[in-house]
Amino acid sequence: MAKAATTVSALIVDDEAPMRDQLRARLREAWPALDIAGEAANGVEAVAMAAEHQPDIVFLDIRMPGQSGIEAARQLCGRCHIVFVTAYDQYALDAFEQGAMDYLLKPVTAERLATTCARLRQRLAAPPEDIGQKLAQLTAALEQGRAARPSYLRWIQAQVGGSLRMISTREVLFFRSDEKYTRVQTAQAELLIRKTLKELADELDPDEFWRIHRSTLVRVDAIAAVTRDMRGRQMLKVHGMTEALEVSRNHAHLFQQM
């Protein structure tokens, strides 16, 4: 069935379901009339789904297994308006700004999304831009950034009974000091390691993990929301967890819009 002429449709593409859910909810608030035609978990799915639904807009995560968002964008450019979604990465942000491409920073804020949606409404009056050259510049900037970036810790070793378990930092929701140990919290388990929080802060990618308290490091992609409690403290909600994490005053600048 052909979509109505006044209907604007979009795809959401992200390999993490909680991030897709968050963006969908934010879009429902910022642009209630926008039709979310579908969701995809990687670039290959995105290209196939775009061919089927012919969306006006595609919200593309950059870092996905298999075909990345940039690779998918090469096949989609000129066919739809593209908005990249990225976790904090200074090299990526610099490249986006230089290329004047639309992007959203994870965790997506209501204010930033409202601005992006307003810009998209204006852009819909014209055909989608062919951003092939801009994508080439973005790719070069990201590769240059990766080459200049130091090597960061990617695996955590935790003793579980008589065996050693290897945990990818992508699995970790947050680290928290627990007396002589550091608590490693994933979606499936809570483990303890002897490495101190200071050691972890020095070894982890600061674009991937933020220190929100002297006793807490949280993975940026895992942040669901930041609110204030009755005492005025900033409290951070992590995807899939009921426990709230306090943001200290020294680190409140990370969430300036609060």
Side-chain angles (χ1 to χ4, degrees):
M1 180 183 296
K3 62 184 180 183
T6 56
T7 300
V8 178
S9 64
L11 295 181
I12 296 175
V13 186
D14 196 299
D15 62 314
E16 296 187 66
M19 300 307 296
R20 297 197 301 271
D21 293 343
Q22 186 212 36
L23 183 53
R24 177 187 281 269
R26 291 288 196 200
L27 284 168
R28 192 177 296 121
E29 297 170 359
W31 196 345
L34 182 66
D35 173 33
I36 305 300
E39 298 180 6
N42 56 60
V44 174
E45 289 181 8
V47 172
M49 197 170 288
E52 177 183 356
H53 297 285
Q54 298 183 10
D56 301 289
I57 305 163
V58 177
F59 294 90
L60 265 177
D61 183 24
I62 288 185
R63 301 169 85 181
M64 294 182 292
Q67 189 179 64
S68 70
I70 293 177
E71 292 168 332
R74 291 195 183 99
Q75 299 179 59
L76 296 174
C77 69
R79 295 164 51 189
C80 52
H81 296 279
I82 294 172
V83 179
F84 287 106
V85 185
T86 180
Y88 182 81
D89 183 321
Q90 192 58 53
Y91 295 107
L93 300 191
D94 289 345
F96 281 127
E97 295 290 356
Q98 292 168 15
M101 286 186 282
D102 279 325
Y103 71 91
L104 292 168
L105 183 63
K106 296 180 182 180
V108 177
T109 65
E111 182 177 353
R112 172 70 183 185
L113 184 57
T115 300
T116 299
C117 288
R119 188 160 52 239
L120 283 168
R121 290 188 185 97
Q122 294 178 341
R123 289 174 56 195
L124 285 167
E129 179 186 3
D130 185 342
I131 59 172
Q133 185 175 354
K134 292 181 179 179
L135 287 173
Q137 295 170 347
L138 174 62
T139 301
L142 291 177
E143 289 177 351
Q144 182 179 3
R146 277 192 289 269
R149 190 185 311 230
S151 177
Y152 292 113
L153 186 67
R154 294 302 178 195
W155 295 92
I156 305 295
Q157 297 182 359
Q159 193 75 29
V160 181
S163 62
L164 186 68
R165 178 175 170 185
M166 300 296 292
I167 306 162
S168 167
T169 56
R170 292 290 296 168
E171 296 180 53
V172 179
L173 300 177
F174 61 85
F175 297 94
R176 198 166 194 178
S177 293
D178 189 351
E179 296 182 353
K180 296 180 180 180
Y181 298 89
T182 295
R183 170 185 166 191
V184 182
Q185 183 67 57
T186 71
Q188 292 77 31
E190 174 185 315
L191 305 106
L192 296 177
I193 60 175
R194 290 187 177 274
K195 188 180 287 286
T196 68
L197 205 71
K198 182 182 184 306
E199 290 173 322
L200 287 168
D202 291 339
E203 296 175 10
L204 290 166
D205 186 344
D207 289 347
E208 186 176 3
F209 285 88
W210 286 356
R211 191 160 196 163
I212 62 166
H213 192 279
R214 60 185 174 84
S215 64
T216 312
L217 284 165
V218 65
R219 185 162 64 84
V220 180
D221 283 0
I223 299 173
V226 183
T227 59
R228 290 192 183 275
D229 66 7
M230 297 293 290
R231 295 166 55 187
R233 299 177 303 174
Q234 287 183 330
M235 304 300 292
L236 189 149
K237 179 79 169 77
V238 174
H239 287 295
M241 301 292 295
T242 57
E243 178 182 1
L245 305 176
E246 181 181 352
V247 180
S248 72
R249 291 183 180 179
N250 289 340
H251 299 87
H253 65 277
L254 295 171
F255 309 97
Q256 291 178 354
Q257 294 180 352
M258 292 297 299

